[in-house]
Amino acid sequence: PAEREKARKELQQEIDKLQKALASIQAVQAGVDGRYEEALQLADKASGLDDLIKAEWRAAAGRWRESWEAVNSEVTKRPNDVVPLAVKIFLAHQWLEREPTVKSKETPATNEEETPAADEVLPVTLESLRADFESLRRLAGHGDLEAPLLARLASVATQLELAADWR
């Protein structure tokens, strides 16, 4: 009986591990398909999914505040890492494109419909985007600009009036 119980527990642990792996695969597939809320629900059951990909899914699902907090947490934990800073810049740029009324501190909203709800407003301005990009330039001095993580920042560099090789 004791050996049988031990074997049952080991088998259950293996099943749990496989279920988490399957949930990871399903979460990524849902994310690729644009089903971001489903991806996030599956990610809760999964193991090994990076917090930054989940932050991108949150933003895509319209959960900007949660996304922003997660990204900033990763930037703080990994201050000399290109990846979280590049994701932060990417999301900040998306936010600014989505919310043109918050592009700069000086730009007032013209009516209430253009103003995002207070809990949705992120502390992102063109000036803060530029400062983060300057930090990224120092960190990614030898980065491959054709790598997807950095390649998707080309439009940000253009908006900031930087050279194509912004490193």
Side-chain angles (χ1 to χ4, degrees):
E3 287 179 16
R4 176 175 252 169
E5 182 60 24
K6 180 181 176 188
R8 190 194 65 73
K9 284 183 180 180
E10 288 174 359
L11 182 58
Q12 187 59 51
Q13 288 174 341
E14 197 61 31
I15 290 170
D16 292 345
K17 190 167 111 178
L18 291 171
Q19 286 175 331
K20 287 180 180 184
L22 179 59
S24 296
I25 294 166
Q26 292 170 329
V28 170
Q29 185 61 56
V32 167
D33 292 345
R35 300 184 328 264
Y36 302 111
E37 285 295 343
E38 182 181 345
L40 290 164
Q41 290 171 358
L42 288 163
D44 288 340
K45 301 173 189 173
S47 63
L49 286 176
D50 186 75
D51 288 336
L52 292 169
I53 190 67
K54 291 187 280 187
E56 289 195 39
W57 291 343
R58 284 185 191 100
R63 293 163 53 181
W64 287 95
R65 173 68 56 195
E66 292 173 49
S67 173
W68 193 248
E69 290 170 0
V71 167
N72 278 306
S73 174
E74 287 299 308
V75 169
T76 300
K77 283 190 253 179
R78 300 158 51 184
N80 295 314
D81 191 338
V82 168
V83 175
L85 188 55
V87 172
K88 179 182 179 182
I89 291 166
F90 177 73
L91 292 178
H93 185 252
Q94 284 187 320
W95 172 257
L96 291 174
E97 292 298 310
R98 175 185 176 269
E99 298 296 340
T101 61
V102 296
K103 279 190 179 175
S104 101
K105 296 174 194 168
E106 296 81 33
T107 307
T110 56
N111 66 46
E112 287 183 24
E113 288 178 15
E114 292 180 6
T115 307
D119 62 340
E120 288 185 27
V121 175
L122 299 181
V124 178
T125 64
L126 196 53
E127 294 83 7
S128 67
L129 179 64
R130 184 178 309 280
D132 284 338
F133 209 95
E134 286 303 318
S135 296
L136 182 65
R137 290 176 80 180
R138 287 189 293 277
L139 288 176
H142 298 290
D144 179 358
L145 297 182
E146 292 180 22
L149 177 74
L150 298 179
R152 68 183 185 171
L153 300 180
S155 61
V156 182
T158 300
Q159 182 178 358
L160 297 175
E161 300 176 349
L162 299 173
D165 186 348
W166 50 262
R167 298 171 293 183

PDB file of all heavy atoms in Angstrom, residues 46-70:
ATOM      1  N   ALA A  46      -0.652  27.472 -16.582  1.00  0.00           N
ATOM      2  CA  ALA A  46       0.560  27.003 -17.252  1.00  0.00           C
ATOM      3  C   ALA A  46       1.793  27.180 -16.378  1.00  0.00           C
ATOM      4  O   ALA A  46       1.737  27.754 -15.297  1.00  0.00           O
ATOM      5  CB  ALA A  46       0.731  27.778 -18.560  1.00  0.00           C
ATOM      6  N   SER A  47       2.888  26.691 -16.895  1.00  0.00           N
ATOM      7  CA  SER A  47       4.170  26.910 -16.230  1.00  0.00           C
ATOM      8  C   SER A  47       5.178  27.362 -17.274  1.00  0.00           C
ATOM      9  O   SER A  47       5.097  27.005 -18.444  1.00  0.00           O
ATOM     10  CB  SER A  47       4.660  25.616 -15.562  1.00  0.00           C
ATOM     11  OG  SER A  47       4.886  24.622 -16.534  1.00  0.00           O
ATOM     12  N   GLY A  48       6.098  28.198 -16.838  1.00  0.00           N
ATOM     13  CA  GLY A  48       7.206  28.571 -17.688  1.00  0.00           C
ATOM     14  C   GLY A  48       6.957  29.694 -18.675  1.00  0.00           C
ATOM     15  O   GLY A  48       7.822  29.981 -19.492  1.00  0.00           O
ATOM     16  N   LEU A  49       5.797  30.339 -18.628  1.00  0.00           N
ATOM     17  CA  LEU A  49       5.562  31.448 -19.552  1.00  0.00           C
ATOM     18  C   LEU A  49       6.145  32.722 -18.975  1.00  0.00           C
ATOM     19  O   LEU A  49       5.937  33.056 -17.815  1.00  0.00           O
ATOM     20  CB  LEU A  49       4.062  31.636 -19.800  1.00  0.00           C
ATOM     21  CG  LEU A  49       3.422  30.580 -20.686  1.00  0.00           C
ATOM     22  CD1 LEU A  49       1.918  30.801 -20.776  1.00  0.00           C
ATOM     23  CD2 LEU A  49       4.021  30.614 -22.083  1.00  0.00           C
ATOM     24  N   ASP A  50       6.865  33.435 -19.809  1.00  0.00           N
ATOM     25  CA  ASP A  50       7.529  34.661 -19.402  1.00  0.00           C
ATOM     26  C   ASP A  50       6.508  35.744 -19.057  1.00  0.00           C
ATOM     27  O   ASP A  50       5.492  35.895 -19.745  1.00  0.00           O
ATOM     28  CB  ASP A  50       8.431  35.130 -20.544  1.00  0.00           C
ATOM     29  CG  ASP A  50       9.269  36.313 -20.158  1.00  0.00           C
ATOM     30  OD1 ASP A  50      10.242  36.114 -19.410  1.00  0.00           O
ATOM     31  OD2 ASP A  50       8.950  37.431 -20.594  1.00  0.00           O
ATOM     32  N   ASP A  51       6.793  36.513 -18.018  1.00  0.00           N
ATOM     33  CA  ASP A  51       5.903  37.591 -17.606  1.00  0.00           C
ATOM     34  C   ASP A  51       5.772  38.669 -18.666  1.00  0.00           C
ATOM     35  O   ASP A  51       4.742  39.347 -18.745  1.00  0.00           O
ATOM     36  CB  ASP A  51       6.383  38.213 -16.290  1.00  0.00           C
ATOM     37  CG  ASP A  51       6.158  37.296 -15.099  1.00  0.00           C
ATOM     38  OD1 ASP A  51       5.273  36.424 -15.176  1.00  0.00           O
ATOM     39  OD2 ASP A  51       6.868  37.460 -14.084  1.00  0.00           O
ATOM     40  N   LEU A  52       6.783  38.834 -19.496  1.00  0.00           N
ATOM     41  CA  LEU A  52       6.719  39.865 -20.526  1.00  0.00           C
ATOM     42  C   LEU A  52       5.738  39.511 -21.635  1.00  0.00           C
ATOM     43  O   LEU A  52       5.028  40.389 -22.136  1.00  0.00           O
ATOM     44  CB  LEU A  52       8.113  40.129 -21.101  1.00  0.00           C
ATOM     45  CG  LEU A  52       9.087  40.776 -20.117  1.00  0.00           C
ATOM     46  CD1 LEU A  52      10.498  40.766 -20.674  1.00  0.00           C
ATOM     47  CD2 LEU A  52       8.637  42.194 -19.771  1.00  0.00           C
ATOM     48  N   ILE A  53       5.671  38.243 -22.015  1.00  0.00           N
ATOM     49  CA  ILE A  53       4.691  37.862 -23.044  1.00  0.00           C
ATOM     50  C   ILE A  53       3.290  38.020 -22.476  1.00  0.00           C
ATOM     51  O   ILE A  53       2.368  38.474 -23.165  1.00  0.00           O
ATOM     52  CB  ILE A  53       4.941  36.449 -23.616  1.00  0.00           C
ATOM     53  CG1 ILE A  53       4.060  36.191 -24.847  1.00  0.00           C
ATOM     54  CG2 ILE A  53       4.668  35.359 -22.606  1.00  0.00           C
ATOM     55  CD1 ILE A  53       4.392  37.023 -26.041  1.00  0.00           C
ATOM     56  N   LYS A  54       3.117  37.681 -21.204  1.00  0.00           N
ATOM     57  CA  LYS A  54       1.800  37.864 -20.589  1.00  0.00           C
ATOM     58  C   LYS A  54       1.462  39.355 -20.509  1.00  0.00           C
ATOM     59  O   LYS A  54       0.296  39.734 -20.689  1.00  0.00           O
ATOM     60  CB  LYS A  54       1.755  37.207 -19.213  1.00  0.00           C
ATOM     61  CG  LYS A  54       1.809  35.675 -19.298  1.00  0.00           C
ATOM     62  CD  LYS A  54       1.590  35.008 -17.963  1.00  0.00           C
ATOM     63  CE  LYS A  54       2.827  35.005 -17.130  1.00  0.00           C
ATOM     64  NZ  LYS A  54       2.707  34.210 -15.886  1.00  0.00           N
ATOM     65  N   ALA A  55       2.445  40.202 -20.282  1.00  0.00           N
ATOM     66  CA  ALA A  55       2.202  41.647 -20.260  1.00  0.00           C
ATOM     67  C   ALA A  55       1.741  42.122 -21.642  1.00  0.00           C
ATOM     68  O   ALA A  55       0.833  42.959 -21.747  1.00  0.00           O
ATOM     69  CB  ALA A  55       3.462  42.392 -19.828  1.00  0.00           C
ATOM     70  N   GLU A  56       2.351  41.592 -22.692  1.00  0.00           N
ATOM     71  CA  GLU A  56       1.926  41.976 -24.037  1.00  0.00           C
ATOM     72  C   GLU A  56       0.500  41.506 -24.314  1.00  0.00           C
ATOM     73  O   GLU A  56      -0.287  42.221 -24.934  1.00  0.00           O
ATOM     74  CB  GLU A  56       2.898  41.434 -25.079  1.00  0.00           C
ATOM     75  CG  GLU A  56       4.231  42.156 -25.045  1.00  0.00           C
ATOM     76  CD  GLU A  56       5.066  41.912 -26.272  1.00  0.00           C
ATOM     77  OE1 GLU A  56       4.494  41.863 -27.391  1.00  0.00           O
ATOM     78  OE2 GLU A  56       6.289  41.792 -26.126  1.00  0.00           O
ATOM     79  N   TRP A  57       0.148  40.312 -23.850  1.00  0.00           N
ATOM     80  CA  TRP A  57      -1.223  39.824 -24.021  1.00  0.00           C
ATOM     81  C   TRP A  57      -2.201  40.704 -23.246  1.00  0.00           C
ATOM     82  O   TRP A  57      -3.285  40.991 -23.731  1.00  0.00           O
ATOM     83  CB  TRP A  57      -1.339  38.384 -23.560  1.00  0.00           C
ATOM     84  CG  TRP A  57      -0.615  37.392 -24.422  1.00  0.00           C
ATOM     85  CD1 TRP A  57      -0.156  37.559 -25.699  1.00  0.00           C
ATOM     86  CD2 TRP A  57      -0.251  36.056 -24.060  1.00  0.00           C
ATOM     87  NE1 TRP A  57       0.462  36.419 -26.146  1.00  0.00           N
ATOM     88  CE2 TRP A  57       0.421  35.478 -25.167  1.00  0.00           C
ATOM     89  CE3 TRP A  57      -0.422  35.291 -22.909  1.00  0.00           C
ATOM     90  CZ2 TRP A  57       0.898  34.172 -25.150  1.00  0.00           C
ATOM     91  CZ3 TRP A  57       0.052  33.989 -22.892  1.00  0.00           C
ATOM     92  CH2 TRP A  57       0.711  33.435 -24.012  1.00  0.00           C
ATOM     93  N   ARG A  58      -1.816  41.129 -22.040  1.00  0.00           N
ATOM     94  CA  ARG A  58      -2.706  42.007 -21.260  1.00  0.00           C
ATOM     95  C   ARG A  58      -2.962  43.309 -22.010  1.00  0.00           C
ATOM     96  O   ARG A  58      -4.094  43.784 -22.063  1.00  0.00           O
ATOM     97  CB  ARG A  58      -2.097  42.304 -19.888  1.00  0.00           C
ATOM     98  CG  ARG A  58      -2.205  41.169 -18.915  1.00  0.00           C
ATOM     99  CD  ARG A  58      -1.688  41.577 -17.531  1.00  0.00           C
ATOM    100  NE  ARG A  58      -1.560  40.421 -16.686  1.00  0.00           N
ATOM    101  CZ  ARG A  58      -0.415  39.790 -16.436  1.00  0.00           C
ATOM    102  NH1 ARG A  58       0.729  40.238 -16.946  1.00  0.00           N
ATOM    103  NH2 ARG A  58      -0.391  38.729 -15.663  1.00  0.00           N
ATOM    104  N   ALA A  59      -1.912  43.895 -22.554  1.00  0.00           N
ATOM    105  CA  ALA A  59      -2.076  45.133 -23.311  1.00  0.00           C
ATOM    106  C   ALA A  59      -2.986  44.900 -24.519  1.00  0.00           C
ATOM    107  O   ALA A  59      -3.896  45.693 -24.783  1.00  0.00           O
ATOM    108  CB  ALA A  59      -0.721  45.679 -23.752  1.00  0.00           C
ATOM    109  N   ALA A  60      -2.754  43.818 -25.240  1.00  0.00           N
ATOM    110  CA  ALA A  60      -3.572  43.508 -26.417  1.00  0.00           C
ATOM    111  C   ALA A  60      -5.032  43.269 -26.038  1.00  0.00           C
ATOM    112  O   ALA A  60      -5.933  43.532 -26.838  1.00  0.00           O
ATOM    113  CB  ALA A  60      -3.002  42.297 -27.148  1.00  0.00           C
ATOM    114  N   ALA A  61      -5.250  42.809 -24.818  1.00  0.00           N
ATOM    115  CA  ALA A  61      -6.615  42.578 -24.322  1.00  0.00           C
ATOM    116  C   ALA A  61      -7.226  43.849 -23.738  1.00  0.00           C
ATOM    117  O   ALA A  61      -8.351  43.823 -23.257  1.00  0.00           O
ATOM    118  CB  ALA A  61      -6.607  41.464 -23.272  1.00  0.00           C
ATOM    119  N   GLY A  62      -6.470  44.937 -23.749  1.00  0.00           N
ATOM    120  CA  GLY A  62      -6.986  46.197 -23.220  1.00  0.00           C
ATOM    121  C   GLY A  62      -6.748  46.387 -21.738  1.00  0.00           C
ATOM    122  O   GLY A  62      -7.249  47.336 -21.143  1.00  0.00           O
ATOM    123  N   ARG A  63      -5.987  45.518 -21.149  1.00  0.00           N
ATOM    124  CA  ARG A  63      -5.689  45.606 -19.711  1.00  0.00           C
ATOM    125  C   ARG A  63      -4.346  46.322 -19.541  1.00  0.00           C
ATOM    126  O   ARG A  63      -3.371  45.760 -19.054  1.00  0.00           O
ATOM    127  CB  ARG A  63      -5.691  44.200 -19.114  1.00  0.00           C
ATOM    128  CG  ARG A  63      -7.097  43.603 -19.141  1.00  0.00           C
ATOM    129  CD  ARG A  63      -7.167  42.117 -18.966  1.00  0.00           C
ATOM    130  NE  ARG A  63      -6.488  41.602 -17.801  1.00  0.00           N
ATOM    131  CZ  ARG A  63      -6.427  40.313 -17.498  1.00  0.00           C
ATOM    132  NH1 ARG A  63      -7.023  39.422 -18.263  1.00  0.00           N
ATOM    133  NH2 ARG A  63      -5.772  39.915 -16.443  1.00  0.00           N
ATOM    134  N   TRP A  64      -4.324  47.588 -19.949  1.00  0.00           N
ATOM    135  CA  TRP A  64      -3.094  48.365 -20.025  1.00  0.00           C
ATOM    136  C   TRP A  64      -2.426  48.566 -18.678  1.00  0.00           C
ATOM    137  O   TRP A  64      -1.211  48.466 -18.564  1.00  0.00           O
ATOM    138  CB  TRP A  64      -3.374  49.710 -20.697  1.00  0.00           C
ATOM    139  CG  TRP A  64      -3.593  49.559 -22.158  1.00  0.00           C
ATOM    140  CD1 TRP A  64      -4.790  49.436 -22.790  1.00  0.00           C
ATOM    141  CD2 TRP A  64      -2.588  49.463 -23.151  1.00  0.00           C
ATOM    142  NE1 TRP A  64      -4.582  49.280 -24.142  1.00  0.00           N
ATOM    143  CE2 TRP A  64      -3.243  49.313 -24.393  1.00  0.00           C
ATOM    144  CE3 TRP A  64      -1.198  49.513 -23.132  1.00  0.00           C
ATOM    145  CZ2 TRP A  64      -2.554  49.196 -25.586  1.00  0.00           C
ATOM    146  CZ3 TRP A  64      -0.511  49.401 -24.318  1.00  0.00           C
ATOM    147  CH2 TRP A  64      -1.189  49.234 -25.533  1.00  0.00           C
ATOM    148  N   ARG A  65      -3.186  48.885 -17.661  1.00  0.00           N
ATOM    149  CA  ARG A  65      -2.601  49.164 -16.345  1.00  0.00           C
ATOM    150  C   ARG A  65      -1.849  47.930 -15.829  1.00  0.00           C
ATOM    151  O   ARG A  65      -0.707  48.027 -15.404  1.00  0.00           O
ATOM    152  CB  ARG A  65      -3.692  49.603 -15.362  1.00  0.00           C
ATOM    153  CG  ARG A  65      -3.248  49.772 -13.928  1.00  0.00           C
ATOM    154  CD  ARG A  65      -2.314  50.903 -13.674  1.00  0.00           C
ATOM    155  NE  ARG A  65      -2.872  52.156 -14.126  1.00  0.00           N
ATOM    156  CZ  ARG A  65      -2.154  53.262 -14.277  1.00  0.00           C
ATOM    157  NH1 ARG A  65      -0.880  53.269 -14.005  1.00  0.00           N
ATOM    158  NH2 ARG A  65      -2.694  54.359 -14.714  1.00  0.00           N
ATOM    159  N   GLU A  66      -2.471  46.771 -15.885  1.00  0.00           N
ATOM    160  CA  GLU A  66      -1.820  45.531 -15.446  1.00  0.00           C
ATOM    161  C   GLU A  66      -0.562  45.252 -16.268  1.00  0.00           C
ATOM    162  O   GLU A  66       0.466  44.845 -15.725  1.00  0.00           O
ATOM    163  CB  GLU A  66      -2.772  44.341 -15.600  1.00  0.00           C
ATOM    164  CG  GLU A  66      -3.953  44.335 -14.682  1.00  0.00           C
ATOM    165  CD  GLU A  66      -4.897  43.203 -15.042  1.00  0.00           C
ATOM    166  OE1 GLU A  66      -4.432  42.061 -15.193  1.00  0.00           O
ATOM    167  OE2 GLU A  66      -6.098  43.484 -15.191  1.00  0.00           O
ATOM    168  N   SER A  67      -0.681  45.470 -17.556  1.00  0.00           N
ATOM    169  CA  SER A  67       0.453  45.253 -18.449  1.00  0.00           C
ATOM    170  C   SER A  67       1.617  46.156 -18.075  1.00  0.00           C
ATOM    171  O   SER A  67       2.763  45.711 -17.951  1.00  0.00           O
ATOM    172  CB  SER A  67       0.013  45.522 -19.892  1.00  0.00           C
ATOM    173  OG  SER A  67       1.109  45.487 -20.754  1.00  0.00           O
ATOM    174  N   TRP A  68       1.315  47.434 -17.883  1.00  0.00           N
ATOM    175  CA  TRP A  68       2.344  48.427 -17.574  1.00  0.00           C
ATOM    176  C   TRP A  68       3.037  48.101 -16.254  1.00  0.00           C
ATOM    177  O   TRP A  68       4.258  48.203 -16.144  1.00  0.00           O
ATOM    178  CB  TRP A  68       1.709  49.811 -17.549  1.00  0.00           C
ATOM    179  CG  TRP A  68       2.708  50.908 -17.538  1.00  0.00           C
ATOM    180  CD1 TRP A  68       2.958  51.779 -16.519  1.00  0.00           C
ATOM    181  CD2 TRP A  68       3.613  51.265 -18.579  1.00  0.00           C
ATOM    182  NE1 TRP A  68       3.958  52.648 -16.871  1.00  0.00           N
ATOM    183  CE2 TRP A  68       4.370  52.354 -18.135  1.00  0.00           C
ATOM    184  CE3 TRP A  68       3.846  50.760 -19.854  1.00  0.00           C
ATOM    185  CZ2 TRP A  68       5.359  52.949 -18.917  1.00  0.00           C
ATOM    186  CZ3 TRP A  68       4.831  51.351 -20.627  1.00  0.00           C
ATOM    187  CH2 TRP A  68       5.575  52.434 -20.152  1.00  0.00           C
ATOM    188  N   GLU A  69       2.265  47.709 -15.256  1.00  0.00           N
ATOM    189  CA  GLU A  69       2.852  47.356 -13.956  1.00  0.00           C
ATOM    190  C   GLU A  69       3.770  46.151 -14.080  1.00  0.00           C
ATOM    191  O   GLU A  69       4.859  46.128 -13.496  1.00  0.00           O
ATOM    192  CB  GLU A  69       1.744  47.112 -12.928  1.00  0.00           C
ATOM    193  CG  GLU A  69       1.017  48.394 -12.535  1.00  0.00           C
ATOM    194  CD  GLU A  69      -0.240  48.169 -11.711  1.00  0.00           C
ATOM    195  OE1 GLU A  69      -0.583  46.997 -11.429  1.00  0.00           O
ATOM    196  OE2 GLU A  69      -0.882  49.169 -11.364  1.00  0.00           O
ATOM    197  N   ALA A  70       3.350  45.152 -14.840  1.00  0.00           N
ATOM    198  CA  ALA A  70       4.178  43.947 -15.021  1.00  0.00           C
ATOM    199  C   ALA A  70       5.478  44.266 -15.743  1.00  0.00           C
ATOM    200  O   ALA A  70       6.557  43.800 -15.349  1.00  0.00           O
ATOM    201  CB  ALA A  70       3.391  42.880 -15.779  1.00  0.00           C
TER     202      ALA A  70
END
